[in-house]
């Protein structure tokens, strides 16, 4: 299928859908979610940056789905001595909707635990020494095995729970390590540098665990740890009133994230364990998914929590959701500033409250103002094309019949994988139905895809969308050399030293 035919087919399918009234949420996106809302800038450890979901393309693992939720943005590898642990008082979750009703049917919950030991050195003259605690995270080499932690002063472990039904009231069961049936997994220490780690890649790989999910046949795999930031975006210029050439070459600008790391929560789950009743018009099963992070209410109300008088923080109260991410960069460039915190706290089933942001989006209008004579916003309201593609799924691909319009990634895992080297980073627009917006792979250039769709790529009538064939771009593409072809797919994180 060539790209022109794919675009025509997609546009024809979408134009047959007439969407009236509320019941849909936010849509078009431009990049990953970094520092997207006022409150989340105060608690970066629970700031979701990117969410990926795709049929696994590692050889022999095609019967699984990979889910990757990235948190804690813009990590400089040299950020010691504490580096980038996640929040032990938070819960990080990946939600699956396999019925198409915009509510979670399965939730995978990650909870982190700090593990500390007071490493000391003997300091002083002979006969008059004192044992003094050291200021560094480690006092010697680490690894290469995951359990070689004698020299580490502070690290983290995590537990993984699967919840069926409502995320707070459903049936919860622990996911176990397939090797020893334990319920605790180790998170690797961040890539401090070449002197602390002889072979960081081997050390990190020893933290990839086979896992047993209750009620699920076949082993899953799990990894939580630092990875190299896979997303590519001309971040500074995009937010400086799109200070770039939107019709220039696709790879002419600097990737502002090329020297950053991120923390990934990665899961590989047998497909049959995720699919449910939701199916497209061809009878193929479709799943939706998104990730959230939640803090205790006391922490949300007071990011600098009270103490018990002995220096220990008090983190009481029920959990409140503070971060939400499905489609990339919805909150940055779609949701109005006044509603950004509210969107982060919301659930897909309530997306009707944000309806205007997608039916009457501001981004195309801003581009028209900023690039007069070059960019012309589509003149069609409500934007049924955006509602369908981003809030319901592509007809015949990943749109479940009877779907409740809501913002999340949707995936048809029955579509054949496209192997690395042959993947088209424009996904469905590039005639590669294994890519965005049918889920999202690390290679997918969601910035360019979303810019083009925002400017009318799915509207066939050029009198309504004069730019429907324009190759809009931010000038940056994902570098496939920085990705891996096997789980957890994102590259080994950059070292803090040498730099």
């Amino acid at each position: 299928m060539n790209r022109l035919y794919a675009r025509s087919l997609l546009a024809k399918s979408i134009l047959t859908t007439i969407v009236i009234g509320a019941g849909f949420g936010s849509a078009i996106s431009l990049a990953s979610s970094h520092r997207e809302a006022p409150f989340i800038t105060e608690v970066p450890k629970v700031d979701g940056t990117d969410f990926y979901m795709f049929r696994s393309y590692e050889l022999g693992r095609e019967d699984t789905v990979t889910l990757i939720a990235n948190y804690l943005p813009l990590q400089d590898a040299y950020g010691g001595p504490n580096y980038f642990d996640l929040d032990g008082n938070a819960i990080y979750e990946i939600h699956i909707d396999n019925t198409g009703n915009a509510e979670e049917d399965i939730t995978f919950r990650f909870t982190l635990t700090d593990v500390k030991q007071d490493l000391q050195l003997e300091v002083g003259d002979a006969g008059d020494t004192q044992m003094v605690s050291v200021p560094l995270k480690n006092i010697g080499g680490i690894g290469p095995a995951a359990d070689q932690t004698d020299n580490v002063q502070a690290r983290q472990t995590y537990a993984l729970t699967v919840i069926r039904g409502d995320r707070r009231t459903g049936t919860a069961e622990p996911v176990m390590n397939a090797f020893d049936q334990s319920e605790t997994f180790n998170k690797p220490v961040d890539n401090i540098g070449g002197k602390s780690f002889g072979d960081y890649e081997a050390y990190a790989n020893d933290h990839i665990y086979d896992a047993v999910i209750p009620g699920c046949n076949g082993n899953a795999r799990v990894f939580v740890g630092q990875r190299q930031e896979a997303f590519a975006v001309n971040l500074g210029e995009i937010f400086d009133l799109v200070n770039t050439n939107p019709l220039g070459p696709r790879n002419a600008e600097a990737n502002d994230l090329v020297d950053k790391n991120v923390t990934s929560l990665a899961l590989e789950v047998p497909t049959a364990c995720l699919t449910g009743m939701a199916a497209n018009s061809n009878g193929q099963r479709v799943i939706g998914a998104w990730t959230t992070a939640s803090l205790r209410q006391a922490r949300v109300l007071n990011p600098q929590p009270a103490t018990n008088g002995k220096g220990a923080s008090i983190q009481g109260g029920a959990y409140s959701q503070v971060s939400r991410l499905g489609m990339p960069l919805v909150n940055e460039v779609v949701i109005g500033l006044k509603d950004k915190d509210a969107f982060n706290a919301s659930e897909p089933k309530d997306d009707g409250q944000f309806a205007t942001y997608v039916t009457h989006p501001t981004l195309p209008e801003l581009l028209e103002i900023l690039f007069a004579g070059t960019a012309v916003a589509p003149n069609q309201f409500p934007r049924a094309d955006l509602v369908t593609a981003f809030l319901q799924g592509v007809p015949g691909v990943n749109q479940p019949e009877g779907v409740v319009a809501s913002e999340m990634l949707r995936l048809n895992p029955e579509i054949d994988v496209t192997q690395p080297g042959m993947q088209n980073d424009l996904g469905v627009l590039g005639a590669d139905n294994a890519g965005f917006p049918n889920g999202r792979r690390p290679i997918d250039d969601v910035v360019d895809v979303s810019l083009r769709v925002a400017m009318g790529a799915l509207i066939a009538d050029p009198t309504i969308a004069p730019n429907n064939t324009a190759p809009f771009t931010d000038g940056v593409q994902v570098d496939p050399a920085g990705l891996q072809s096997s789980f957890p797919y994102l590259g080994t994180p950059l070292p803090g030293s040498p730099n």
Side-chain angles (χ1 to χ4, degrees), residues 220-232:
R221 289 196 287 187
V222 62
F223 171 86
V224 174
Q226 193 178 50
R227 295 279 90 189
Q228 184 174 356
E229 173 65 85
F231 192 72

Side-chain angles (χ1 to χ4, degrees), residues 160-472:
L160 176 58
T161 304
V162 60
I163 304 164
R164 291 183 171 85
D166 182 89
R167 65 178 80 175
R168 298 293 178 260
T169 62
T171 301
E173 298 177 277
V175 175
M176 295 178 294
N177 186 330
F179 176 72
D180 60 8
Q181 286 71 55
S182 71
E183 298 175 11
T184 300
F185 303 87
N186 289 319
K187 174 182 176 292
V189 176
D190 294 338
N191 195 355
I192 296 170
K195 194 170 184 177
S196 293
F197 296 98
D199 185 346
Y200 189 87
E201 183 174 1
Y203 167 74
N205 286 344
D206 202 49
H207 291 78
I208 298 174
Y209 296 97
D210 288 335
V212 177
I213 301 173
C216 175
N217 291 326
N219 279 352
R221 289 196 287 187
V222 62
F223 171 86
V224 174
Q226 193 178 50
R227 295 279 90 189
Q228 184 174 356
E229 173 65 85
F231 192 72
V233 63
N234 187 9
L235 199 62
E237 292 184 350
I238 284 290
F239 286 112
D240 182 24
L241 300 178
V242 195
N243 187 17
T244 185
N245 178 6
L247 294 176
R250 291 190 64 204
N251 58 356
E253 301 287 345
N255 174 17
D256 290 337
L257 305 182
V258 71
D259 60 348
K260 305 298 181 184
N261 292 327
V262 72
T263 300
S264 297
L265 294 84
L267 264 175
E268 185 186 76
V269 184
T271 302
C273 301
L274 299 176
T275 53
M277 298 300 295
N280 67 8
S281 57
N282 299 319
Q284 297 171 315
R285 301 297 181 183
V286 175
I287 57 176
W290 68 102
T291 182
T292 64
S294 302
L295 292 169
R296 296 287 191 185
Q297 287 181 355
R299 182 76 179 277
V300 175
L301 295 173
N302 180 13
Q304 301 299 322
T307 68
N308 62 5
K310 299 179 181 179
S313 61
I314 300 172
Q315 305 289 359
Y319 282 103
S320 292
Q321 180 182 305
V322 295
S323 181
R324 168 188 170 186
L325 183 59
M327 284 286 192
L329 204 68
V330 166
N331 213 355
E332 282 90 338
V333 298
V334 177
I335 302 298
L337 183 62
K338 70 182 181 67
D339 286 328
K340 288 182 180 296
D341 285 336
F343 180 82
N344 264 349
S346 67
E347 299 181 32
K349 64 183 178 62
D350 300 319
D351 277 349
Q353 64 187 305
F354 305 112
T356 300
Y357 290 122
V358 60
T359 59
H360 296 71
T362 58
L363 178 60
E365 310 301 321
L366 287 172
L367 291 175
E368 181 173 320
I369 294 170
L370 295 170
F371 299 100
T374 298
V376 181
N379 185 26
Q380 174 178 283
F381 303 99
R383 287 293 299 272
D385 58 317
L386 300 184
V387 172
T388 302
F390 292 103
L391 305 183
Q392 296 175 318
V394 179
V397 179
N398 65 338
Q399 182 185 111
E401 292 194 310
V403 64
V404 174
S406 52
E407 190 277 306
M408 65 180 74
L409 277 181
R410 291 183 173 86
L411 173 70
N412 177 351
E414 296 188 39
I415 290 177
D416 290 340
V417 301
T418 304
Q419 292 299 327
M422 301 183 67
Q423 296 172 353
N424 190 306
D425 66 355
L426 294 177
V428 175
L429 276 185
D432 182 358
N433 282 353
F436 183 78
N438 180 33
R440 179 186 173 189
R441 304 166 300 193
I443 194 66
D444 290 333
D445 191 343
V446 296
V447 178
D448 287 9
V449 171
S450 299
L451 276 172
R452 297 177 191 194
V453 171
M455 296 305 292
L458 304 180
I459 300 175
D461 188 347
T463 64
I464 296 175
N467 289 154
N468 62 358
T469 60
F472 286 102

Side-chain angles (χ1 to χ4, degrees), residues 23-75:
F24 20 85
S26 52
I28 49 177
S29 54
L30 263 185
S32 59
S33 296
H34 299 85
R35 296 173 53 82
E36 76 281 357
F39 175 78
I40 207 67
T41 63
E42 302 176 22
V43 282
K45 290 186 176 185
V46 288
D47 185 358
T49 68
D50 283 286
F51 182 56
Y52 302 94
M53 175 173 63
F54 52 93
R55 182 173 176 179
S56 304
Y57 45 85
E58 179 180 346
L59 292 178
R61 302 295 294 181
E62 295 88 352
D63 60 348
T64 67
V65 170
T66 294
L67 305 135
I68 305 173
N70 286 348
Y71 282 86
L72 218 173
L74 305 176
Q75 297 178 17

